[in-house]
Structures are given as C-alpha cells and as structure tokens.
Amino acid sequence: MWFYSIETILCAAALFFFFWSLKKRENTRALESLASFWGALALAGAVFSLGLRGVFFNGSYQMDGFSQFVKLVLAAGFFIALVISKNLEDIEEKIRPEYYLFLTTASLGMVAMVSAGDLITLYTSLELSSYSLYILIPLRKKDSASVEASMKYLLTGVAASGVMIYGFSLLFGLTQTADLTGIAMKLPELVRLHVFWVAFFLSLAGFLFKLSLFPLHAWAPDVYEGGNTQIVGFISTVSKMAGLAVLIRLVMLLGPDQKLLEGIWIVIALVSMTLGNLAALVQSDMKRMLAYSSIAQAGYLLIGVICGNEKGLAASLFYGTVYVFMNFGAFFVASVISREGRNVSLSDFHGLSSRSPLLALTLMLSLFSLAGVPPLAGFTGKWFLFSAASMSGYKALAFAAIINSVISLYYYLRIIKEAYASPVPGVEAGPLRLGLEGRIFCYMLIVFLSVAGFFPGVLMPLVTQSVAVFFGV
Amino acid sequence: MLINQLVPYLLLSALLFSTGLFGFLMRRSLIAMLIAVELILNAANINFLAFNRFMNADKSLGQIYSIFVIGLAAAEIAIGLSLVIAVYRKFRSINVEKLTELKG
C-alpha cells in the first residue's frame, strides 16, 4: 500500500510542521513529543515499505531493494535526529517548528534522491535536501559563526550542484535521454569518448560534496563547528548515507567500464582518508574533530565503491549503515554535554565517567567503533571493507586504509581518556541527567553496536540482498 | 546559417560555464559569487535547450529540464540572498575574506 510508505509520511509530517509553525501558541513540549512520533511513524513506514517494488512516473521514480534498504537507514537516522533534538538550547523556541519542518524536508529530499530514476528527479531531490540544510544551519541562536558556516556551506553546495547540472546537461546531450536506465544502455558506446568522462566527472561533483570527499571537503569543518550539534550529526550521517547510495547507483550505471575510473577514485579515497585523519589529530573542538574524522570515514566508504563488485558494495553499505549509528552516538553525547548549546571542546569531557556512566560508555563504544576497535560494529564493517579491497586486488589501498585507522585511534582515544582517566569533575559540572528517550537511545545504540559487531550475520544478508539489484540477481 | 547549428550554442555554454567558474573562484564579493553560480546554471540551461533542439527526438524533455533548473535557481538565489543579508548584519561586509570567525 503506497500511502503507508515513508515518502507519504514525510510529506504529511512536513505539512504538519508547516501548519504548526503558523500557529501563534508556543507549546514546545507537545511539539517535541509529536516530532518523535512522526519520526517513529516514518521509521515504521520505512520498515513497512521495505518489500515494496515498483517503477513510478514513467521510470523517474523507482523503488528497488537497494533504495528501500537505504531508506530504512535514512528513516532510522531521521528518527534519531528527532529524538535527540529534545534539548535544543541553542535554537529559539519560536522557530522550533521551522527546525523540524526543514529537518523533515531535508529527509524527504534524501529519500527521494535514493529512489530517483532520472536526472531531473535526482537534481530536484538533491536540491530539496541541500536547501533545507542551508536553512537549518543559521537557525542557531545569536551566533555569527553559524551564519558564516551556512554561507560557506551554501557557496560550496551551489557551486558543486551547478557543476553537476552542467555535467548532467552534457550527459543528456550525449545520451539524449534523462532516464538512468536509458543512459546505462547508451553508455557502452560512449566510454571511449573523452567528453563522456568530462561529463561524468562533472556530474559526480554534487555527490562528492554531499559525502565531503577530497576536492569538495573544505566546507565540513566550518559547517560542523558553526551549526547546532543535532543538525550537524544529521548532516554527517544521514546526508552522507544518501550521497553514498546515489554515488553507488551512478557508478554502477557504468557496468564493467567502471574500472576505468579506479585511478581517480583511489586518489580521492587516499587523500580524503589521510587529510581527514591528520587534520583531526590537532583539533580541540569536538565537532571540528568529528568533521575531519567524517572526511576520513567517507574515504573508507569509497573503498567498497572502488572494488565495484558485490562484496565491495555490500561492505560499503554495511559500513555506511553502521557509521550512521556510531557517528550519531558521538554527536548525541556532544549535544548532551554542551552547556547552553555551545560548542564542546575536549576539556568538557573531563570526568564524564563519574558524571554519567551511561553517556561515557556510549561515547566510548561509538568512538571505538569509529576507530575500528574489535569487536564493535565499526571493526566488522572495516573488516568487510578491507578484505573486499584486498580480495579485489587493491592490497596497497587496504594497507593504507589500515594505517589510517591506526592514526585515527589516537584522536578518538584522546576524548575517551578525557572522559575516563580524569575522574575529578570541575566545580560546576554536576552529574548529568538524561531523559528517558536519551537513556533508551543509549541502550539501543550500545546493543546495536555490539550485536552488529559480534553477529554481522544479522545485518549482512539484508545489505547483500539490496546490493544484488545491481548484479541482476 | 551559423544560428541553426549545435556547435555555436555549445561553445557559448562552455564559455558561460568557464566564466562562471572563474568568477566564482576569483571574485570575493558574496553577491558576485552567487551571480557566477547563476552563470553556470544558465550554461547548463543553454546546453539542455540546444541538445533538445538539434539532437533529441522527444522535443519536450530538455525544455522541462531547463524549467526545473530555472525554478531551483530562483529558490537557491532566494536562500543565498537572505543569507547575504544575515552575513551583512553580523559582519557589516559581504566580502568573503571577512568571514574568518571559524578557523581551526
């Protein structure tokens, strides 16, 4: 039943928040609970529509196993973002409805992007999600940094999407169709043309921007520092997952010819990983550090795309799914710790283990998982990625990635050391109180990270099944 | 007739695209940068229409595409200009080099 699907629910939620924002009365508490309710509904809709298949609007919107699985992850991320947006100290109460509205439209754009079957849908949904995010960043209260961050985000974003649309126009001219399957059919005769590769690379610019990969990564640190923590968590996880999914879809259009791309991909992946990890070493602002760490993580995600086979793509998607949860864990802890919504620096983690053992444990597991410490989910994901890379003949790339994850361990451990090894809290830092949803979220996250780490067989069949779409199974 | 061929249009759009990219990288005023992005988008529009006119069997597809691009460009410029106003209120300047609060 199509009207239970996640797209319908997100549209309804966006309308709901829109009308709520027109009301004069301010009842933030009710709005927060309703927002969580809509998030849960969207997640339920995504679970429900996991089995939906179909092609709509003349092929411009397609639901296949891949898109439905990615939508499930996006819906989970949306739900988490709404649940952790309880204590928005840095956003004025009167614009909270707008905050939820744009969060919903951003998710709607990403969900549509994953299902896009032609270039018009792809461009429109990409811009829907980007524009919503440009507006979400400067909602932060009395902070000139957030306006600056949003301006930088917007400038990079519109330039990237402009380059992308120019690439699309060349692709349209070469293939004379905007339909992705139509393009895929025309490709084998085009791959010998130089202009095709120019067009293809220009078209990828928008997704490199979404994933904050090397040539288009410079916005990430400033935006992460300037934006409010919940939104930044959303950008770094959900938005990235959607970008990864569309990147996989576009690259898989090439079929076996994608091997011609591997040189450039390897350079992008290596530079993103190394640059991200080295720059993260010297940061003292937690969000800025997570920004560089997310650039490096995007580099890891690309490894599976480089492999281009079923194993590689499944590994990428598995790691992307796990990454959504573990990164949200880190951002959640940062958002709880921050005082009056200000940015969190390393010293704010002093004595976290005595202020709130549960938060400290969540933080430790999330960061260990990001670093790839066994037996957590992040380790398993990295294991799949690196083994897929070395089995596909990219041994040097896998080796470089392993060295990179060792480097990353240093800056993740610095935070954990602050949280655990300095037991004397400051004078004003009393015990941290977590709401019920916060506690439930922590427990769920801990369970997910350990279960997906110990028993990857729970998640892996789903992932493999969804990637099988590209291999005609 | 030159006007009835594909290549002049493609050259014009390539020129617009490079002017836009160059302007985006070289200009320091936020408004000039937004205008440069508009040039890039319009280069894409010219491409769509020219390919549609001279090559495509289905004469509507490229036009639909360019209408979408025009609409989204309007939305983009609305967000961009409102942010420029916000930047001007906080920083009293729209020079991108003055936006230096975030540096790590």
Side-chain angles (χ1 to χ4, degrees):
Chain A
M1 303 279 262
W2 60 270
F3 47 81
Y4 291 132
S5 71
I6 173 170
E7 288 88 350
T8 331
I9 292 170
L10 284 177
C11 282
L15 277 178
F16 172 81
F17 290 129
F18 174 68
F19 283 114
W20 190 286
S21 75
L22 298 179
K23 290 204 310 187
K24 282 255 161 55
R25 208 152 38 82
E26 283 160 19
N27 186 353
T28 317
R29 196 165 279 277
L31 178 67
E32 280 174 354
S33 344
L34 278 167
S36 307
F37 166 74
W38 278 111
L41 209 58
L43 185 58
V47 173
F48 188 82
S49 57
L50 196 59
L52 281 187
R53 302 284 181 272
V55 178
F56 304 91
F57 308 115
N58 251 334
S60 61
Y61 200 84
Q62 51 189 18
M63 295 179 170
D64 49 26
F66 182 67
S67 74
Q68 298 311 97
F69 174 75
V70 175
K71 278 178 201 171
L72 178 62
V73 180
L74 298 183
F78 175 62
F79 180 48
I80 294 175
L82 289 179
V83 168
I84 69 174
S85 299
K86 287 286 177 210
N87 205 7
L88 294 169
E89 281 165 322
D90 49 353
I91 291 183
E92 275 178 57
E93 287 210 353
K94 66 172 190 218
I95 56 170
R96 298 264 174 91
E98 279 88 342
Y99 171 90
Y100 292 116
L101 167 65
F102 289 118
L103 198 60
T104 314
T105 50
S107 311
L108 181 61
M110 288 164 199
V111 162
M113 186 161 96
V114 176
S115 265
D118 73 18
L119 296 178
I120 301 179
T121 324
L122 194 54
Y123 177 61
T124 319
S125 48
L126 180 87
E127 294 302 42
L128 176 61
S129 70
S130 298
Y131 292 174
S132 313
L133 294 177
Y134 301 151
I135 300 173
L136 277 169
I137 301 284
L139 290 185
R140 208 177 187 199
K141 194 156 48 181
K142 49 180 186 276
D143 194 357
S144 48
S146 74
V147 177
E148 178 190 340
S150 181
M151 198 71 230
K152 287 176 175 170
Y153 192 33
L154 177 117
L155 284 176
T156 328
V158 294
S161 74
V163 169
M164 180 188 76
I165 197 74
Y166 189 74
F168 279 179
S169 75
L170 291 177
L171 270 187
F172 170 74
L174 287 168
T175 57
Q176 280 142 59
T177 172
D179 190 35
L180 286 187
T181 37
I183 291 178
M185 279 193 295
K186 293 258 174 67
L187 283 187
E189 44 193 276
L190 291 173
V191 287
R192 279 174 289 108
L193 298 176
H194 290 300
V195 62
F196 167 74
W197 291 107
V198 173
F200 196 76
F201 269 109
L202 294 181
S203 318
L204 291 179
F207 307 102
L208 294 187
F209 161 74
K210 278 263 163 205
L211 276 166
S212 70
L213 278 166
F214 154 60
L216 295 167
H217 64 280
W219 57 272
D222 286 351
V223 171
Y224 282 38
E225 194 182 338
N228 108 308
T229 313
Q230 284 88 349
I231 283 303
V232 169
F234 183 77
I235 290 178
S236 85
T237 54
V238 181
S239 171
K240 211 164 259 205
M241 184 68 187
L244 174 75
V246 182
L247 189 72
I248 289 178
R249 208 184 264 286
L250 283 185
V251 170
M252 289 317 285
L253 286 182
L254 289 170
D257 294 317
Q258 57 174 291
K259 286 283 166 217
L260 298 167
L261 279 171
E262 64 176 25
I264 289 178
W265 279 141
I266 289 175
V267 171
I268 291 179
L270 278 179
V271 175
S272 302
M273 283 189 287
T274 319
L275 185 144
N277 279 327
L278 292 183
L281 291 178
V282 293
Q283 304 302 327
S284 60
D285 185 290
M286 165 82 167
K287 283 197 288 176
R288 220 177 160 80
M289 194 213 79
L290 283 176
Y292 283 111
S293 120
S294 84
I295 296 173
Q297 302 282 347
Y300 302 138
L301 287 174
L302 205 53
I303 293 176
V305 184
I306 294 173
C307 297
N309 48 22
E310 205 166 350
K311 235 187 171 66
L313 289 189
S316 255
L317 207 55
F318 182 91
Y319 193 66
T321 309
V322 170
Y323 169 77
V324 168
F325 291 95
M326 56 198 186
N327 220 23
F328 250 130
F331 275 106
F332 169 68
V333 177
S335 76
V336 176
I337 285 181
S338 83
R339 292 195 199 92
E340 289 146 26
R342 266 174 305 187
N343 275 359
V344 181
S345 67
L346 264 184
S347 53
D348 288 329
F349 287 94
H350 264 306
L352 181 65
S353 63
S354 54
R355 292 173 69 197
S356 166
L358 179 61
L359 266 187
L361 184 65
T362 314
L363 179 76
M364 182 173 77
L365 291 185
S366 305
L367 292 180
F368 270 157
S369 189
L370 279 168
V373 172
L376 294 163
F379 166 76
T380 319
K382 277 199 174 118
W383 171 265
F384 285 139
L385 270 178
F386 299 161
S387 66
S390 62
M391 265 188 262
S392 315
Y394 301 102
K395 290 215 167 54
L397 180 65
F399 187 66
I402 290 168
I403 297 216
N404 259 300
S405 36
V406 175
I407 298 175
S408 72
L409 193 57
Y410 171 75
Y411 57 83
Y412 293 126
L413 272 177
R414 257 173 62 197
I415 299 181
I416 297 170
K417 177 188 147 257
E418 287 291 326
Y420 274 92
S422 32
V424 192
V427 188
E428 81 271 56
L432 276 169
R433 297 184 60 81
L434 263 181
L436 179 65
E437 310 94 355
R439 281 204 300 276
I440 292 176
F441 174 64
C442 283
Y443 287 125
M444 301 269 274
L445 193 78
I446 292 168
V447 169
F448 176 82
L449 288 181
S450 0
V451 167
F454 272 113
F455 311 105
V458 181
L459 187 59
M460 205 54 187
L462 264 176
V463 175
T464 320
Q465 224 172 44
S466 67
V467 204
V469 172
F470 299 115
F471 301 93
V473 180
Chain B
M1 278 290 279
L2 198 62
I3 209 82
N4 235 344
Q5 286 167 0
L6 176 62
V7 175
Y9 292 98
L10 292 189
L11 284 179
L12 174 67
S13 85
L15 187 71
L16 265 183
F17 177 75
S18 1
T19 316
L21 211 54
F22 182 77
F24 182 80
L25 297 174
M26 299 309 287
R27 299 300 291 264
R28 300 287 68 151
S29 152
L30 291 173
I31 291 189
M33 290 168 89
L34 286 176
I35 293 174
V37 173
E38 292 299 301
L39 288 186
I40 297 179
L41 293 176
N42 284 322
N45 273 341
I46 292 179
N47 260 356
F48 279 122
L49 294 174
F51 282 128
N52 193 54
R53 164 76 178 71
F54 294 106
M55 293 177 77
N56 207 3
D58 176 8
K59 291 289 183 213
S60 61
L61 196 56
Q63 299 186 11
I64 292 171
Y65 212 137
S66 58
I67 286 175
F68 268 93
V69 175
I70 292 169
L72 286 170
E76 173 223 303
I77 215 73
I79 297 172
L81 286 180
S82 56
L83 271 178
V84 170
I85 291 172
V87 165
Y88 183 74
R89 283 196 186 135
K90 305 264 183 192
F91 292 87
R92 289 284 139 198
S93 158
I94 55 163
N95 189 326
V96 76
E97 276 159 7
K98 295 274 163 59
L99 301 180
T100 51
E101 208 160 284
L102 295 166
K103 278 244 167 82

